[in-house]
């Protein structure tokens, strides 16, 4: 019996008109990820099937666990869709299992198969009951659930199920720019945005010499870890020092963060235009700090018409930390090197800023010219998942 990995698309199957595009995007991502493995990958409208060498299985599964758009997968036996073979092979599969109770669940993808699903399940069940001693059927909580999927040519038999990452394949939505600091939140926000199929490029606001090269390396390593879920990530490094210093020289310190974030959004908008991105993504979470109260968000958001996607808006910090651990960014995020936001935080930032006051302060210096200069000096690094030098230097 040939063993294969059977992939279920999950949420993709709810996409009617675009279904083909979604499945093709998923397929090319699986092909890219598994290019070095000795596999063949085939797919139809409802399933993808991967043949593999047994000694590569754990490698392959690790890679599948970084691909959005996979709802679940099974290690399945592939046999031909004729009744006698199915009867024989289901028994063979079940003989490998140790169980007391079981259930057979049949689904006929090919409605021309002569026996209806329920009837076939009963038939296969009776064969097991006869052939294997001391077992019984339990349709509610079986020790082993054996699923039999009958397609036109092939039938898949499996007794296991592994969850995939879910979501949509990256690239099924257009590009957005992720504001990536070295903190815990923004990589998680990037991950969740990618999970919706959004392709991301990252933007890091840097304030050397107030921030260190280690802080930059943290962001590079975080980008690399996020690149595991896509192909590569372009990281744009924004030289923010002069503008940030200017903000702190003008006006009320309580408003510095409000103004700084308005400037960040202005630069993000320019970057969206330059790189043809449709939205800004960041790690803001309602109420987390003074600049993330609803009033602050409103005043800060006022400078851009681009959608600002905040995947973490309604998450608790503990929930965010859980995801960060799961996606392997937490250990990097907690390294101590500070970024430009943390260094310049005033003692008492305004919690309910007024738009008129922010505008008044901004009118006292020529930030537009400074932004023009910044735009000319942005540095871009292309980061791939396989570049691991920075990680070695950091940890
Ligand atoms: P994080 O939120 O990622 O843990 P943080 O707490 O330092 O980092 P906040 O002050 O909460 O950041 O800022 C909110 C969001 O603004 C961040 O999640 C991130 O998306 C963005 N941001 C903050 N600082 C920077 C920066 N230096 N470069 C790029 N984006 C930034
Ligand atoms: Mg934060």
């Amino acid at each position: 019996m040939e063993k294969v990995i059977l992939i279920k698309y999950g949420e993709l199957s709810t996409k009617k008109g675009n279904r083909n595009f979604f499945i093709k995007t998923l397929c090319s991502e699986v092909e890219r990820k598994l290019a070095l493995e000795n596999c063949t990958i085939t797919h139809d409208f409802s399933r993808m099937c991967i043949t593999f060498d047994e000694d590569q299985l754990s490698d392959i599964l690790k890679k599948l666990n970084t691909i959005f758009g996979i709802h679940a997968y099974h290690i399945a036996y592939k046999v031909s869709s004729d009744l006698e073979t199915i009867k024989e092979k289901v028994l063979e599969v079940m003989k490998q299992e140790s169980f007391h109770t079981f259930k057979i669940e049949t689904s006929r993808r090919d409605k021309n198969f002569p026996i209806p699903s329920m009837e076939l399940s009963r038939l296969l069940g009776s064969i097991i009951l006869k052939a294997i001693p001391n077992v019984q059927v339990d349709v509610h909580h079986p020790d082993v659930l054996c699923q039999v999927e009958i397609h036109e040519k092939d039938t898949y038999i499996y007794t296991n199920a592994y969850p995939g990452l879910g979501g949509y394949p990256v690239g099924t939505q257009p590009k957005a720019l992720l504001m990536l600091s070295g903190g815990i939140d923004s990589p998680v926000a990037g991950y969740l945005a990618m999970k919706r199929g959004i392709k991301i490029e990252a933007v890091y606001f840097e304030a050397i010499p107030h921030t260190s090269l280690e802080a930059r390396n943290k962001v590079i390593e975080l980008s690399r870890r996020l690149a595991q879920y896509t192909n590569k990530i372009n990281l744009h490094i924004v030289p923010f020092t002069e503008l940030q210093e200017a903000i702190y020289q003008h006006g009320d310190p309580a408003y510095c963060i409000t103004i700084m974030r308005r400037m960040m959004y202005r630069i993000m908008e320019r970057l969206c235009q330059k790189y043809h991105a449709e939205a800004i993504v960041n790690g803001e979470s309602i109420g987390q700090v003074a600049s993330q109260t609803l009033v602050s968000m409103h005043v800060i958001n006022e400078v851009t018409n681009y959608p600002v996607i905040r995947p973490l808006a309604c998450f608790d910090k503990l929930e965010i930390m859980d995801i960060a651990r799961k996606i392997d960014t937490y250990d990097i995020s907690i390294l101590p090197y500070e970024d430009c936001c943390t260094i310049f935080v005033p003692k008492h930032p305004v919690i309910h800023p007024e738009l008129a006051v922010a505008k008044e302060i901004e009118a006292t210096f020529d930030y537009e010219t400074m932004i023009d200069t910044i735009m000319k000096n942005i540095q871009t690094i292309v980061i791939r998942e396989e570049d691991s030098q920075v990680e070695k230097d950091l940890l």
Side-chain angles (χ1 to χ4, degrees):
M1 271 191 294
E2 186 183 15
K3 248 184 182 178
V4 297
I5 300 167
L6 192 66
I7 291 179
K8 288 183 180 165
Y9 309 141
E11 200 177 344
L12 291 191
S13 36
T14 60
K15 297 266 143 205
K16 281 200 183 101
N18 289 349
R19 205 179 146 119
N20 240 340
F21 167 62
F22 278 70
I23 293 171
K24 273 204 174 125
T25 310
L26 177 61
C27 247
S28 35
E29 185 60 2
V30 172
E31 279 165 4
R32 191 185 64 74
K33 280 269 181 180
L34 303 185
L36 297 178
E37 316 289 341
N38 186 21
C39 312
T40 45
I41 301 163
T42 51
H43 72 277
D44 65 16
F45 233 42
S46 64
R47 298 283 183 264
M48 191 181 303
C49 177
I50 303 173
T51 64
F52 59 92
D53 284 349
E54 193 71 41
D55 58 341
Q56 292 177 335
L57 182 61
S58 75
D59 246 18
I60 293 172
L61 295 188
K62 225 185 260 168
K63 288 177 182 169
L64 292 182
N65 285 332
T66 63
I67 300 175
F68 293 116
I70 295 178
H71 169 69
Y73 55 87
H74 311 275
I75 315 288
Y77 291 98
K78 181 172 150 186
V79 304
S80 77
S81 290
D82 91 282
L83 183 59
E84 287 315 307
T85 313
I86 293 171
K87 285 187 334 203
E88 182 192 326
K89 298 301 178 187
V90 165
L91 180 58
E92 203 176 315
V93 169
M94 290 302 272
K95 276 185 172 167
Q96 294 171 21
E97 300 285 339
S98 80
F99 62 95
H100 178 54
T101 58
F102 74 101
K103 177 184 179 183
I104 306 279
E105 211 169 71
T106 307
S107 70
R108 263 188 325 162
R109 303 275 149 169
D110 172 22
K111 298 293 177 210
N112 292 322
F113 191 81
I115 308 181
S117 301
M118 292 288 271
E119 201 180 306
L120 184 57
S121 294
R122 274 197 297 271
L123 175 63
L124 294 169
S126 68
I127 292 172
I128 309 269
L129 287 170
K130 260 188 229 146
I132 304 178
N134 300 322
V135 297
Q136 63 191 56
V137 173
D138 180 345
V139 291
H140 300 296
H141 304 288
D143 299 335
V144 172
L145 170 67
C146 177
Q147 287 174 274
V148 182
E149 266 189 41
I150 301 173
H151 296 242
E152 196 181 345
K153 196 165 141 279
D154 303 311
T155 289
Y156 301 98
I157 305 165
Y158 48 88
T159 53
N160 54 55
Y162 304 94
L165 284 186
Y168 299 136
V170 175
T172 51
Q173 287 289 326
K175 191 196 297 174
L177 296 185
L178 167 69
M179 299 170 70
L180 185 61
S181 67
I184 294 169
D185 303 332
S186 46
V188 175
Y191 170 87
L192 292 175
M194 285 195 283
K195 187 170 178 182
R196 301 321 293 161
I198 298 171
K199 200 170 161 30
I200 59 164
E201 296 192 12
V203 178
Y204 169 55
F205 292 83
E206 182 173 69
I208 280 177
H210 309 295
T211 60
S212 61
L213 208 57
E214 281 90 348
R216 172 195 283 214
N217 281 341
K218 254 178 95 170
V219 176
I220 292 177
E221 178 56 19
L222 289 171
S223 304
R224 192 183 75 79
R225 297 208 176 181
L226 288 179
Q228 288 180 81
Y229 301 96
T230 169
N231 182 5
K232 60 178 174 63
I233 289 187
N234 291 352
L235 170 64
H236 307 287
I237 299 177
V238 178
F240 203 44
T241 314
E242 271 178 40
L243 181 51
Q244 201 163 15
E245 286 172 352
I247 295 166
Y248 284 82
Q249 281 154 18
H250 293 84
D252 184 350
Y255 268 75
C256 283
I257 295 283
T258 310
I259 310 264
M260 182 187 77
R261 296 198 66 81
R262 281 167 59 90
M263 296 300 169
M264 283 181 165
Y265 275 32
R266 287 186 172 105
I267 294 169
M268 290 304 293
E269 173 156 309
R270 295 257 205 121
L271 286 168
C272 283
Q273 286 156 358
K274 182 169 176 189
Y275 295 112
H276 308 290
E278 302 298 328
I280 299 165
V281 176
N282 67 34
E284 289 174 348
S285 176
I286 298 165
Q288 194 184 81
V289 287
S291 62
Q292 292 166 34
T293 62
L294 283 187
V295 176
S296 279
M297 281 185 185
H298 188 189
V299 170
I300 292 165
N301 218 146
E302 190 264 347
V303 299
T304 181
N305 280 323
Y306 275 77
V308 179
I309 311 292
R310 302 175 176 88
L312 307 180
C314 300
F315 279 46
D316 288 349
K317 192 77 186 187
L318 290 178
E319 293 170 318
I320 300 170
M321 284 158 68
D322 276 350
I323 304 178
R325 287 193 193 92
K326 202 183 87 190
I327 66 171
D328 207 19
T329 54
Y330 184 79
D331 60 327
I332 298 297
S333 293
I334 59 170
L335 292 174
Y337 318 111
E338 291 184 295
D339 94 335
C340 67
C341 278
T342 29
I343 280 171
F344 286 94
V345 177
K347 265 209 178 97
H348 302 292
V350 61
I351 291 170
H352 301 301
E354 285 176 42
L355 182 56
V357 177
K359 284 185 166 172
E360 218 172 275
I361 297 170
E362 286 172 355
T364 63
F365 68 109
D366 181 13
Y367 62 84
E368 284 292 350
T369 306
M370 297 178 101
I371 291 179
D372 289 342
T373 311
I374 285 174
M375 290 303 294
K376 284 185 202 136
N377 292 300
I378 286 170
Q379 193 192 341
T380 298
I381 313 177
V382 180
I383 296 167
R384 295 174 191 278
E385 58 183 309
E386 60 271 19
D387 309 333
S388 53
Q389 188 52 45
V390 171
E391 180 187 18
K392 285 184 203 129
D393 294 345
L394 265 179
L395 293 175

